[in-house]
Amino acid sequence: MERSDNDHPSFYDLHAKLLGDNSQAIPAENIKKGGLIHGTPLFLPWYRYFLFLFEKQLQIVEPKLALPYWSFGLDANNPELAPVWGEEAFGGNGVGEDSAVLDGFFKNWQPLYPTPHHLRRSWSAGNAIDPFESPEVTHAQIIRARMYDELRKALEMRPAGIVRNNIGGDCLTMYAANDPLFYLFMANIDRLWFKWQLSSTAKSKAFDGLMPQNKQKVSLSDPLPHFSGSVKVSDVIEAKILGYTYDEVTI
């Protein structure tokens, strides 16, 4: 990964800052810009494009690379035993007073935002991680969701929220993208949405709900806030528009 300094932040740090700045903008500002992403119907399409831009940046270095996903439900009972924490992977829990990650490919990695610091993780049960939502429960939520915003609320509040909370550290902040693992578990959230979209023709472009700030109905023509250019929900509503798919659509 490219190292940053305060005067020359890398794309990686700027992408994490994009998420953090968007998440923390004041409500009045967000109404003008299209609304917050968390706790709104924009959550899934916004992250789909966020992940897409990150993958495109990686492909500048390795054109055939595809952003992987972490099917965290497979590790739900004992998340701390998942292969992602290995020395040859993303490293494990943080140590010391600042919960710094000191092993794995990203040991001693220092994100720039909101202020320069060591990459942090603080597992929810000390040297272990409290269980994630089981695949069976997640599957039931996907099957039960008839409308888009039902699904969005289920995915955002349960599997996505639980994983972030239980990993802790940077993942528990608005700058969660400081942790490279964040991209893998959010790619899985996108995959679960993709799975739901494939379940019927009516769901393939479904998008509904209300923006909590102004109670206005959302539409496919709504902009995705804070991205450069004019990107609308309709531009990302189907993964195939962005030129990708998933190799596995089971949970």
Side-chain angles (χ1 to χ4, degrees):
M1 187 183 292
E2 179 186 353
R3 287 285 178 184
S4 289
D5 59 55
N6 291 334
D7 295 326
H8 302 92
S10 68
F11 172 87
Y12 187 93
D13 280 306
L14 290 175
H15 213 48
K17 184 177 186 294
L18 172 68
L19 173 61
D21 288 353
N22 189 20
S23 301
Q24 298 193 66
I26 60 174
E29 203 176 18
N30 274 285
I31 290 174
K32 294 177 183 177
K33 293 181 178 179
L36 287 165
I37 55 172
H38 296 100
T40 82
L42 294 174
F43 178 80
L44 292 175
W46 196 93
Y47 270 109
R48 174 167 285 179
Y49 194 61
F50 182 76
L51 295 171
F52 169 77
L53 292 179
F54 185 68
E55 181 179 72
K56 286 301 178 186
Q57 188 70 21
L58 295 177
Q59 288 171 346
I60 293 175
V61 178
E62 180 50 68
K64 294 184 179 181
L65 182 144
L67 184 65
Y69 60 86
W70 174 26
S71 189
F72 47 74
L74 299 177
D75 302 302
N77 291 334
N78 301 104
E80 70 277 3
L81 301 181
V84 295
W85 310 117
E87 178 66 36
E88 296 300 315
F90 291 82
N93 197 16
V95 299
E97 292 184 1
D98 60 353
S99 301
V101 175
L102 300 179
D103 63 337
F105 285 137
F106 302 97
K107 62 184 178 183
N108 300 317
W109 174 248
Q110 296 190 21
L112 283 184
Y113 300 107
T115 59
H117 64 281
H118 281 98
L119 174 62
R120 300 184 184 118
R121 293 193 191 117
S122 183
W123 290 356
S124 59
N127 291 326
I129 303 175
D130 290 314
F132 297 155
E133 183 174 84
S134 72
E136 294 77 16
V137 171
T138 302
H139 178 75
Q141 291 185 96
I142 291 174
I143 296 300
R144 188 164 52 242
R146 297 184 178 230
M147 303 293 288
Y148 162 81
D149 208 38
E150 291 179 61
L151 178 82
R152 188 274 305 172
K153 290 175 182 176
L155 292 180
E156 180 178 3
M157 299 195 58
R158 295 293 301 172
I162 290 173
V163 172
R164 286 183 65 170
N165 289 340
N166 291 7
I167 292 174
D170 275 299
C171 277
L172 200 51
T173 74
M174 291 298 99
Y175 295 88
N178 281 334
D179 192 332
L181 191 60
F182 175 77
Y183 289 95
L184 274 68
F185 70 73
M186 287 308 298
N188 194 46
I189 295 297
D190 184 66
R191 183 181 69 90
L192 295 175
W193 178 29
F194 177 83
K195 172 185 171 67
W196 182 83
Q197 289 181 303
L198 288 183
S199 65
S200 76
T201 302
K203 293 176 180 176
S204 65
K205 295 183 180 180
F207 185 65
D208 55 73
L210 300 175
M211 292 301 292
Q213 300 95 324
N214 51 26
K215 304 304 179 184
Q216 291 185 357
K217 289 184 178 180
V218 296
S219 74
L220 290 172
S221 62
D222 286 346
L224 297 178
H226 293 267
F227 291 118
S228 60
S230 179
V231 185
K232 295 178 288 190
V233 174
S234 59
D235 296 324
V236 304
I237 193 64
E238 294 182 283
K240 67 181 181 181
I241 297 174
L242 298 175
Y244 74 90
T245 186
Y246 286 97
D247 62 346
E248 178 59 67
V249 292
T250 60
I251 292 177

